[in-house]
Amino acid sequence: MPKKPTEASLRRIEKAARLAASRTYSPYSKFPVGAAVIGGSGRVYSGCNVENASYGLCNCAERTAIFTAVAAGESSVSAVAIYTPTSLPTAPCGACRQVINEFGPEALVISVCDTKNRIETTLSALLPGAFGPGDLA
Ligand code: THU
């Protein structure tokens, strides 16, 4: 089970998510999203949404960040931060909740935006009764 994230590491992923949004490729939705995660090693990984002319292939920022962490050798995440340049914070979509569950069923999920509004919750609150690896055992 991953360690509980420190306040300092949570501030780091918030900052990384804000920076990641600047790398968005979202010419179709024009809705930039940045995300960052703390991997089991304590390292931080970030990602942005990457869209495609074939709309169904768009990848959310959260999944980009988690896939980047896994590709770097991580097998768990303890926290996910999401930034959108909006006045209200954006919660992760259903597909991203399912992907977060795979690697961080107890992860903290923090959404920040351009105002003081924020969401601080957990994956288990966002996806109660999740289907996960244990169901295949
Ligand atoms: N998007 C994310 O990156 N994360 C979410 O959790 C919700 C949606 C992206 C996908 C698409 O590029 C754009 O936001 C509009 O849906």
Side-chain angles (χ1 to χ4, degrees), residues 29 31 33 49 51 60-62 91-93:
S29 72
F31 188 74
V33 187
N49 54 332
E51 299 187 345
C60 293
E62 297 90 320
C93 79

Side-chain angles (χ1 to χ4, degrees), residues 23-28 33 47-52 55 57-61 64:
R23 306 196 188 106
T24 184
Y25 178 74
S26 49
Y28 307 107
V33 187
C48 58
N49 54 332
V50 182
E51 299 187 345
N52 194 279
Y55 297 165
L57 302 183
C58 294
N59 203 64
C60 293
T64 306

Side-chain angles (χ1 to χ4, degrees), residues 9 18 25 36 50 115 134-135:
S9 64
R18 288 177 192 276
Y25 178 74
V50 182
T115 65
D135 291 300

Side-chain angles (χ1 to χ4, degrees), residues 75-94:
S75 51
S76 65
V77 301
S78 59
V80 181
I82 300 145
Y83 163 76
T84 48
T86 50
S87 54
L88 289 175
T90 305
C93 79

Side-chain angles (χ1 to χ4, degrees), residues 2 4 6 15 19 26 32 40 45 69 72 78 93 113 121 128 132 134:
K4 192 176 177 296
T6 61
K15 210 171 157 190
L19 178 65
S26 49
Y45 303 87
S78 59
C93 79
C113 61
T121 185

